[in-house]
């Protein structure tokens, strides 16, 4: 190992520049990328939320077993079955999830291939079939619904698999006071849609969002909007601060 340099302390830390006593980053073995035909594999430290075979770990809004369909690695929305959510409570995460809009195109605007991914069960990243299907911009696929349109319309053709990589930091409260808002970075099909966007509060429909105090952890929720959207390859990694420090 190299010799310790006589270097200054980095402000806000107890470490010197190039400090040899600073904790080594944990080794994480990367997974593989997905293709249209097959999902990739998750990294070694991922928590896999959908096992590809059944709805283990997923419940409906009443806490009853989720009634969506799982088959051959694919999770199908069952219209009318309601939203589903993980039993696992998640906090600040890196989320990977893939989806496919229905091959049979029907409806327009918000009525085509609508679903959604809700961080902490309440902050929606829109899922919609916006391939040659415009809608109100802040409801476009990848939009932070009702708050920010995506920086690009990165929709694929109906039936093709799209890939979301999302980095989410939940809000922090001190009693009733908001200390730090939620932040989100969203990449869809390798295109940046949001770069550390500051969320204005939990998702609302036709209203302004606003914060009320809530837990640091919550479920991941997927929306049943009545359309035959499919999901696959859903996993998360917990995000801590540098040197493994929890924020
Ligand atoms: Mg939606």
């Amino acid at each position: 190992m190299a010799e310790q340099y006589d270097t200054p302390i980095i402000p806000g830390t107890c470490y010197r520049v190039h400090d040899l006593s600073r904790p080594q980053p944990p080794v994480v073995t990367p997974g593989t990328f997905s293709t249209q035909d097959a999902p990739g594999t998750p990294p070694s430290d991922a928590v896999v939320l959908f096992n590809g075979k059944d709805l283990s770990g997923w419940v409906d809004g009443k806490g009853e077993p989720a009634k969506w369909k799982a088959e051959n690695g694919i999770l199908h929305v069952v219209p009318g079955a309601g939203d589903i959510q993980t039993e696992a409570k998640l906090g600040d995460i890196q989320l990977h999830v893939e989806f496919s809009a229905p091959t049979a195109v029907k409806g327009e605007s918000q009525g085509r291939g609508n679903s959604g991914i809700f961080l902490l069960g309440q902050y929606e990243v829109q899922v919609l079939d916006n391939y040659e299907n415009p809608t109100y911009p802040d409801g476009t696929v990848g939009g932070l619904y009702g708050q920010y349109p995506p920086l690009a319309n990165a929709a694929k053709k109906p039936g093709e698999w799209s890939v979301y990589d999302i980095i989410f930091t939940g809000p922090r409260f001190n009693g009733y006071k908001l200390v730090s808002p939620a932040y989100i970075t969203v990449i869809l099909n390798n295109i940046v849609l949001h770069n550390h966007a500051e969320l204005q509060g939990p998702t609302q429909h036709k209203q302004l969002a606003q914060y009320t105090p809530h837990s640091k952890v919550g479920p991941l929720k997927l929306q049943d909007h009545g359309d035959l959207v499919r999901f696959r390859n859903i996993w998360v990694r917990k995000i801590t601060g540098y040197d493994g420090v929890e924020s």
Side-chain angles (χ1 to χ4, degrees), residues 136-149:
Y136 43 84
D138 64 20
T140 301
V141 64
L144 306 175
Y145 189 82
Q147 298 185 27
Y148 301 103

Side-chain angles (χ1 to χ4, degrees), residues 114-116 124 126-127 223 225:
N114 196 334
S115 182
E124 184 180 17
Q126 176 69 302
V127 171
Q223 185 182 46
H225 204 283

Side-chain angles (χ1 to χ4, degrees), residues 44-227:
S44 58
D45 64 345
V47 175
V48 174
L49 298 178
F50 171 53
N51 67 15
K53 294 181 274 225
D54 57 41
L55 272 293
S56 300
W58 293 84
V59 293
D60 66 15
K62 298 188 194 113
E64 304 288 327
K67 296 177 187 68
W68 290 19
K69 193 173 85 178
E71 208 171 57
N72 300 325
I74 297 173
L75 177 59
H76 300 255
V77 174
V78 173
D83 300 345
I84 67 169
Q85 63 188 49
T86 59
E87 291 180 296
K89 299 285 191 287
L90 311 166
D92 297 346
I93 53 169
Q94 172 187 349
L95 167 66
H96 180 98
V97 52
E98 304 177 19
F99 73 92
S100 168
T103 310
V105 175
K106 72 170 181 62
E108 59 178 13
S109 187
Q110 293 288 304
R112 184 181 300 180
N114 196 334
S115 182
I117 298 162
F118 288 75
L119 286 304
L120 295 182
Q122 49 188 335
Y123 298 88
E124 184 180 17
V125 178
Q126 176 69 302
V127 171
L128 195 70
D129 175 5
N130 282 114
Y131 184 80
E132 297 178 350
N133 175 42
T135 187
Y136 43 84
D138 64 20
T140 301
V141 64
L144 306 175
Y145 189 82
Q147 298 185 27
Y148 301 103
L151 296 173
N153 178 348
K156 288 199 171 185
K157 289 180 182 170
E160 292 185 349
W161 286 100
S162 277
V163 178
Y164 265 129
D165 290 291
I166 295 171
I167 301 158
F168 178 78
T169 307
R172 300 292 192 266
F173 300 93
N174 183 357
Y176 287 100
K177 189 170 177 292
L178 177 70
V179 175
S180 175
Y183 291 101
I184 191 164
T185 293
V186 178
I187 298 172
L188 177 60
N189 298 325
N190 292 342
I191 296 167
V192 174
L193 305 190
H194 303 282
N195 179 13
H196 200 60
E198 179 181 324
L199 285 156
Q200 295 154 8
T203 299
Q204 297 287 337
H205 180 56
K206 298 184 178 176
Q207 295 182 49
L208 290 175
Q210 61 177 39
Y211 283 104
T212 48
H214 61 71
S215 171
K216 266 171 74 172
V217 297
L220 182 77
K221 187 168 89 176
L222 300 177
Q223 185 182 46
D224 167 18
H225 204 283
D227 294 327

